[in-house]
Coordinates of all heavy atoms in Angstrom, one line a residue:
D727 N 0.8 -1.2 0.0 CA 0.0 0.0 0.0 C 0.9 1.2 0.1 O 1.9 1.3 0.9 CB -0.9 0.0 1.2 CG -1.7 1.2 1.2 OD1 -2.8 1.2 0.6 OD2 -1.5 2.1 1.9
D728 N 0.6 2.1 -0.9 CA 1.4 3.4 -1.1 C 1.4 4.3 0.2 O 2.6 4.7 0.6 CB 0.9 4.3 -2.2 CG 1.1 3.6 -3.6 OD1 1.9 2.7 -3.7 OD2 0.5 4.1 -4.6
A729 N 0.4 4.4 0.8 CA 0.4 5.2 2.0 C 1.2 4.6 3.2 O 1.9 5.3 3.9 CB -1.1 5.5 2.5
L730 N 1.0 3.3 3.4 CA 1.8 2.7 4.4 C 3.3 2.7 4.1 O 4.1 3.0 5.0 CB 1.4 1.2 4.5 CG 2.2 0.3 5.5 CD1 2.0 0.9 6.9 CD2 1.6 -1.1 5.5
R731 N 3.7 2.5 2.9 CA 5.2 2.5 2.6 C 5.7 4.0 2.8 O 6.8 4.2 3.3 CB 5.4 2.1 1.1 CG 6.9 2.3 0.7 CD 7.8 1.4 1.5 NE 9.2 1.8 1.0 CZ 10.3 1.3 1.8 NH1 10.1 0.9 3.0 NH2 11.4 1.7 1.3
F732 N 4.9 5.0 2.3 CA 5.3 6.4 2.5 C 5.4 6.7 4.0 O 6.4 7.4 4.4 CB 4.4 7.3 1.8 CG 4.7 8.8 2.0 CD1 5.7 9.4 1.2 CD2 3.9 9.6 2.8 CE1 6.0 10.7 1.4 CE2 4.3 11.0 3.0 CZ 5.4 11.5 2.2
A733 N 4.5 6.3 4.8 CA 4.5 6.6 6.2 C 5.8 5.9 6.8 O 6.5 6.4 7.7 CB 3.3 6.1 6.9
E734 N 6.1 4.7 6.4 CA 7.3 4.0 6.9 C 8.6 4.7 6.7 O 9.4 4.9 7.6 CB 7.4 2.6 6.4 CG 6.2 1.6 6.9 CD 6.3 0.4 6.0 OE1 7.0 0.2 5.1 OE2 5.7 -0.6 6.5
V735 N 8.7 5.2 5.5 CA 10.0 5.9 5.1 C 10.1 7.2 5.8 O 11.2 7.5 6.4 CB 10.0 6.1 3.5 CG1 11.3 6.9 3.2 CG2 10.1 4.7 2.8
I736 N 9.0 7.9 5.8 CA 9.1 9.2 6.5 C 9.3 9.1 8.0 O 10.1 9.8 8.6 CB 7.8 10.1 6.2 CG1 7.6 10.4 4.8 CG2 7.8 11.3 7.1 CD1 8.7 11.2 4.2
S737 N 8.7 8.0 8.5 CA 8.9 7.8 10.0 C 10.4 7.5 10.2 O 11.0 7.9 11.2 CB 8.1 6.5 10.5 OG 6.7 6.8 10.2
D871 N 0.3 13.5 -5.1 CA -0.6 12.5 -4.7 C 0.1 11.3 -3.9 O 1.4 11.4 -4.0 CB -1.5 12.0 -5.9 CG -0.6 11.2 -7.0 OD1 0.4 10.6 -6.6 OD2 -0.9 11.4 -8.1
I872 N -0.6 10.4 -3.4 CA 0.1 9.4 -2.6 C 1.0 8.5 -3.4 O 2.0 8.0 -2.9 CB -0.9 8.7 -1.8 CG1 -0.2 7.9 -0.6 CG2 -1.7 7.8 -2.6 CD1 0.6 8.7 0.3
S873 N 0.7 8.3 -4.7 CA 1.5 7.4 -5.5 C 2.9 8.0 -5.7 O 3.9 7.3 -5.5 CB 0.7 7.0 -6.8 OG 1.5 6.3 -7.7
I874 N 2.9 9.2 -6.2 CA 4.2 9.8 -6.6 C 5.0 10.0 -5.2 O 6.2 10.0 -5.3 CB 4.1 11.1 -7.4 CG1 5.3 11.5 -8.0 CG2 3.4 12.2 -6.6 CD1 6.0 10.6 -9.0
A875 N 4.3 10.4 -4.3 CA 4.9 10.6 -2.9 C 5.6 9.3 -2.4 O 6.8 9.4 -1.9 CB 3.9 11.1 -1.8
K876 N 5.0 8.2 -2.5 CA 5.6 7.0 -2.1 C 6.8 6.6 -3.1 O 7.8 6.2 -2.5 CB 4.5 5.9 -2.3 CG 5.0 4.5 -2.1 CD 5.3 3.8 -3.4 CE 5.8 2.3 -3.2 NZ 6.3 1.6 -4.4
S877 N 6.7 6.9 -4.3 CA 7.8 6.7 -5.2 C 9.0 7.5 -4.9 O 10.2 7.1 -4.9 CB 7.5 6.8 -6.6 OG 6.4 5.9 -7.0
A879 N 9.6 8.8 -1.8 CA 10.2 8.3 -0.5 C 11.0 7.0 -0.8 O 12.1 6.9 -0.1 CB 8.9 8.0 0.4
P902 N -5.1 10.4 -6.1 CA -5.6 10.1 -4.7 C -4.6 10.6 -3.6 O -3.4 10.8 -3.8 CB -5.6 8.6 -4.7 CG -4.6 8.2 -5.8 CD -4.7 9.3 -6.8
G903 N -5.3 10.9 -2.4 CA -4.5 11.4 -1.3 C -4.7 12.9 -1.1 O -5.2 13.5 -1.8
A904 N -4.1 13.1 0.2 CA -4.1 14.6 0.7 C -2.7 14.6 1.4 O -2.7 14.9 2.6 CB -5.2 15.0 1.4
V905 N -1.6 14.5 0.7 CA -0.3 14.1 1.4 C 0.0 15.4 2.2 O 0.4 15.2 3.5 CB 0.8 13.9 0.3 CG1 2.1 13.7 1.0 CG2 0.4 12.6 -0.5
D908 N -2.2 15.8 5.2 CA -2.1 14.7 6.2 C -0.7 14.9 7.0 O -0.7 14.6 8.2 CB -2.2 13.4 5.6 CG -3.6 13.0 5.1 OD1 -4.5 13.8 5.5 OD2 -3.8 12.1 4.4
L909 N 0.3 15.1 6.3 CA 1.6 15.4 7.0 C 1.6 16.4 8.0 O 2.0 16.3 9.2 CB 2.7 15.6 6.0 CG 3.2 14.5 5.1 CD1 4.1 15.0 4.1 CD2 3.8 13.3 5.9
Q1147 N -11.2 11.2 2.5 CA -10.9 10.4 3.6 C -9.7 9.6 3.2 O -9.7 8.8 2.3 CB -12.2 9.4 3.7 CG -13.5 10.1 4.0 CD -13.4 10.9 5.4 OE1 -12.9 10.4 6.3 NE2 -13.8 12.1 5.3
T1148 N -8.6 9.8 3.9 CA -7.4 9.2 3.7 C -6.7 8.5 4.9 O -7.1 8.7 6.0 CB -6.3 10.2 3.1 OG1 -6.2 11.2 4.3 CG2 -6.8 11.0 2.0
L1149 N -5.8 7.6 4.7 CA -5.2 6.8 5.7 C -3.9 7.4 6.2 O -3.4 7.0 7.3 CB -5.0 5.3 5.2 CG -6.1 4.5 5.0 CD1 -5.7 3.2 4.3 CD2 -6.8 4.2 6.3
L1150 N -3.2 8.2 5.4 CA -1.9 8.7 5.7 C -1.7 9.3 7.1 O -0.7 8.9 7.9 CB -1.3 9.6 4.7 CG 0.1 10.1 4.9 CD1 1.1 8.9 5.0 CD2 0.5 11.1 3.8
K1151 N -2.6 10.2 7.5 CA -2.4 10.8 8.8 C -2.5 9.7 9.9 O -1.6 9.8 10.9 CB -3.5 11.8 9.0 CG -3.6 12.4 10.4 CD -4.7 13.5 10.6 CE -4.8 13.9 12.1 NZ -5.9 14.8 12.2
H1152 N -3.3 8.8 9.9 CA -3.5 7.8 10.8 C -2.3 6.9 10.9 O -1.8 6.5 12.0 CB -4.8 6.9 10.7 CG -6.0 7.8 10.7 ND1 -6.5 8.4 11.8 CD2 -6.9 8.1 9.6 CE1 -7.6 9.1 11.4 NE2 -7.8 9.0 10.1
L1153 N -1.7 6.6 9.7 CA -0.5 5.7 9.6 C 0.7 6.4 10.2 O 1.5 5.9 10.9 CB -0.3 5.4 8.2 CG -1.3 4.4 7.5 CD1 -1.0 4.3 6.0 CD2 -1.2 3.0 8.2
M1154 N 0.7 7.8 10.0 CA 1.8 8.5 10.6 C 1.7 8.5 12.0 O 2.7 8.4 12.8 CB 1.8 9.9 10.1 CG 2.0 10.2 8.6 SD 3.7 9.8 8.1 CE 4.6 11.2 9.0
L1155 N 0.5 8.6 12.6 CA 0.4 8.6 14.0 C 0.9 7.3 14.6 O 1.4 7.2 15.7 CB -1.0 8.9 14.4 CG -1.5 10.2 14.1 CD1 -3.0 10.4 14.3 CD2 -0.9 11.3 15.0
E1157 N 3.1 5.2 13.1 CA 4.6 4.9 12.8 C 5.5 5.6 13.6 O 6.6 5.1 13.9 CB 4.8 5.1 11.3 CG 4.1 4.2 10.3 CD 4.8 2.8 10.4 OE1 5.9 2.7 10.8 OE2 4.2 1.8 10.0

Side-chain angles (χ1 to χ4, degrees):
D727 180 82
D728 289 343
L730 178 59
R731 176 59 186 164
F732 180 73
E734 289 173 348
V735 175
I736 297 300
S737 301
D871 65 38
I872 192 60
S873 176
I874 192 69
K876 175 261 182 187
S877 296
V905 174
D908 288 350
L909 288 175
Q1147 301 300 312
T1148 60
L1149 288 174
L1150 179 58
K1151 176 182 175 180
H1152 305 289
L1153 291 169
M1154 294 291 295
L1155 292 171
E1157 288 288 338

